[in-house]
Structures are given as C-alpha cells and as structure tokens.
Amino acid sequence: MNAAEQVGSKRNAGYRAADMVEDGMIVGLGTGSTVFFAMERLGERIAGEGLSIAGIPTSYQAALRARQYGIPITSLDEHPEIDIAIDGADQVDPDLNLIKGRGAALLREKCVCDATRRMLIVVDQTKMVDTLSAPVPVEVLPFASASVSRRLTLLDGRPVLREGIKKDGPVITDNGNFILDCDFGAIADPRHLEAEVASIPGALECGLFTAYGEKIVVIVGEEKGCRIVSLR
C-alpha cells in the first residue's frame, strides 16, 4: 500500500465511523490521523445536516481539531457514560486486542474506552495483525520512570524513554507524565501482560487494550470502501 492509498483508506474508515454517529450522541474523540478524518466528516454533518452532538476529546490535539471542525466540546466529568467513541490503533489482533498510544494519549483514551457503550476503532489494513508485536507505550510517573523501566525489563521488555521532536528531552503527556515505549516482541498473552504492567507502581497505564473486545467494532479502511470486524 503506497502513501496515497493509505491516506484514502484512512479517510474511508474515518468517514464510515462518523456516519455511524446519531443525533444527540455524546462522542468520544480519540487522537490520530484516522480519527481526524472522522472529525472532518462530523464537521460536515454538523454544518450540512444540523447534526447535534458533543465530543469528549482525549488530548489537547484532539480538542483543537474538534474546535476547528465545529464540534462542540464536553467532558467526561459532565458525561461519565458515552454513547459512542471513535479512536485509532497501532495494531489489532483477531481477538480485537489492541495496542494504542503512538500519540501519547493512551491514558485518557482508555478512560474513554471504558466509559463508552460502543467503541469504533478506525484503521487501515496495515494495522491488522495475527499477533500483537508493536512496542507497548506505558505512561509513567516521572518520579518512578527508572524503577518502572527496571520492572518492565524483568518482564522481558526493552523500555525506551520517548524523546520529543523539536523539543529537547522526553515527551510530556497531556497529564504531565513520561512515556516508555516497551518492546516485548511477539505478545503471546496480551491480557496477562496488561495485568502485569498494571501491577507496577508508577506505571499509570499501558497501551494494551484487552478488556473491551465485546464493545469494539473495527472499521478497516480499504482502497474502495471499508470492512467491519467485530466479535458479535
């Protein structure tokens, strides 16, 4: 898949997800290029159809983009139950386990995923894999980054502190924390690994999403449309 085909596939997935949003819904808004196509389409529907929704963005970047497209913003405090959420993924396996967090918004994304009734994951075909193997982002308390790194190494991971681009030093999340990208190789048991990482003091959240398969609908963008993957 060349770059132009990938962009087209992402647009197809994002637009399809946006067209599944109904009037009056509270919508979780993830972070990433494919989700931004969904926001673009939601903006078109708001302007052209009078669609009435409110979005809960998972990052400052998502909030800025939502405002650009005219999507009204609300919060998880005001709406602790969400009708539908749209987000991307770094990898998706056949059981709909995910690796997320390339945009460093995994902690808020998991909060939204947990709160939503239905989770639309928008990806292109390259994100669908037989076995999860991408580096797993871990959001860590800066105070504990060294001790968390040591514990991740004991789990046979290879953690690397994510460095900023056009900025000296580490990436700082919207929550004021660091990101460790941890390579575990092929992950045979994602659910067990997620639980192991969650047990480490100072590891606030990891990019493995293994508890939400029943509410996840994966929209896989293709060159000429989309295909839908779910466990139901």
Side-chain angles (χ1 to χ4, degrees), residues 58-59 76 87 100-101 103-114 137-141 173-179 203-207 209 212:
T58 56
S59 66
L76 200 56
D87 208 345
K100 293 176 44 55
L106 59 145
L107 177 52
R108 296 189 188 192
E109 288 172 345
K110 192 169 286 189
C111 291
V112 164
C113 185
D114 190 71
V138 182
E139 183 160 347
V140 301
L141 194 69
T173 72
D174 290 355
N175 311 305
N177 301 309
F178 292 170
I179 294 287
L204 303 175
E205 194 51 82
C206 82
F209 285 52
Y212 304 108

